[in-house]
């Protein structure tokens, strides 16, 4: 079975988003991926090369003032060197974010990730879940309890530390990791098959 390589490029200001990143990593690893967790505010040249070699890159950041953090924006601008080289062309991409509010303009952060991926000519992988907690039969423990489609969205109370990240949001992030891995496996296997036919 093909083992895709998934890289998670993220920033976490106070540790909450790191919890979500770890959940994405766990889901991807469970699905059989080789996973690299990369803190974008501490990124090394060797880690840039890991991103270049990955089959999929999952972007993650807290939502601050309606968009990704400043540290993530610095990373995004620095990725322009990869843009010139088309280093991430046709890779898969996905994203996740966390904020203190239920919405908190998290969609804007996910759309920023989508635009970044499109600039690099990457293929976006959506969350792939129907919304939870939107009926009398639902609860805050449902997967995708906040009802996002573009990526995994988490909410943590502003007066709680990383231990306060909601378990349903952690499970939703794990789902995203599995979905990215399963999609990457299809792409990697398909590319190998096309190469064999072409040869």
């Amino acid at each position: 079975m093909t083992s895709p390589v998934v890289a998670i490029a993220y920033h976490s200001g106070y540790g909450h988003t790191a919890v979500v990143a770890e959940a994405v990593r766990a889901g991807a690893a469970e699905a059989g991926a080789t996973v690299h967790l990369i803190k974008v505010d501490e990124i090394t040249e060797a880690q840039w090369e890991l991103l270049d070699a990955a089959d999929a890159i999952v972007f993650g950041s807290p939502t601050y003032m309606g968009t990704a953090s400043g540290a993530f924006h610095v990373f995004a601008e620095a990725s322009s060197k990869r843009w010139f080289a088309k280093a991430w062309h046709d890779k898969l991409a996905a994203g996740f974010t966390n904020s203190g509010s239920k919405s908190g303009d998290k969609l804007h952060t996910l759309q920023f990730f989508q635009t970044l991926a499109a600039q690099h000519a990457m293929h976006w992988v959506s969350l792939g879940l129907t919304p939870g907690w939107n009926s009398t039969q639902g609860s805050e423990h449902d997967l995708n309890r906040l009802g996002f489609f573009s990526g995994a969205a988490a909410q943590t109370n502003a007066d709680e530390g990383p231990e306060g990240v909601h378990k349903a949001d952690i499970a939703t992030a794990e789902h995203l990791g599995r979905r990215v891995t399963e999609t990457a496996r299809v792409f990697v296997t398909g590319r190998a098959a096309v190469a064999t036919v072409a040869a």
Side-chain angles (χ1 to χ4, degrees):
M1 182 180 292
T2 303
S3 178
V5 179
V6 175
I8 302 167
Y10 76 98
H11 173 246
S12 183
Y14 300 97
H16 306 86
T17 307
V19 171
V20 184
E22 172 57 30
V24 175
R25 186 210 63 76
E30 179 190 341
T34 298
V35 190
H36 304 294
L37 268 178
I38 297 170
K39 297 179 180 180
V40 299
D41 54 331
E42 302 174 1
I43 192 167
T44 65
E45 188 54 41
Q47 289 174 323
W48 279 110
E49 292 172 4
L50 287 176
L51 293 175
D52 296 344
D55 299 303
I57 301 174
V58 185
F59 302 123
S61 168
T63 294
Y64 293 155
M65 302 306 291
T67 187
S69 66
F72 192 92
H73 276 269
V74 169
F75 161 77
E77 289 185 27
S79 76
S80 62
K81 292 181 180 178
R82 269 59 196 173
W83 180 85
F84 279 110
K86 297 185 178 180
W88 297 354
H89 196 98
D90 281 338
K91 292 184 185 297
L92 299 181
F96 61 91
T97 186
N98 175 81
S99 73
S101 299
K102 296 293 189 293
S103 174
D105 287 332
K106 285 190 274 279
L107 177 59
H108 187 263
T109 300
L110 293 172
Q111 289 174 330
F112 169 70
F113 294 155
Q114 287 178 309
T115 300
L116 175 62
Q119 292 259 318
H120 283 285
M122 302 169 81
H123 303 288
W124 189 258
V125 180
S126 66
L127 182 59
L129 287 173
T130 54
W133 202 19
N134 65 355
S135 73
T136 56
Q137 303 303 310
S139 83
E140 65 174 298
H141 304 293
D142 293 343
L143 288 180
N144 196 20
R145 69 186 182 109
L146 300 177
F148 283 78
F149 294 88
S150 301
Q155 179 271 336
T156 311
N157 292 330
D159 58 352
E160 290 187 287
E163 72 284 350
V165 178
H166 201 288
K167 287 182 171 54
D169 298 340
I170 291 173
T172 299
E174 290 171 348
H175 167 86
L176 178 66
R178 289 190 295 270
R179 178 169 166 82
V180 169
T181 299
E182 290 160 2
T183 306
R185 182 174 290 112
V186 171
F187 267 63
V188 170
T189 303
R191 284 171 180 156
V194 169
T196 301
V197 171

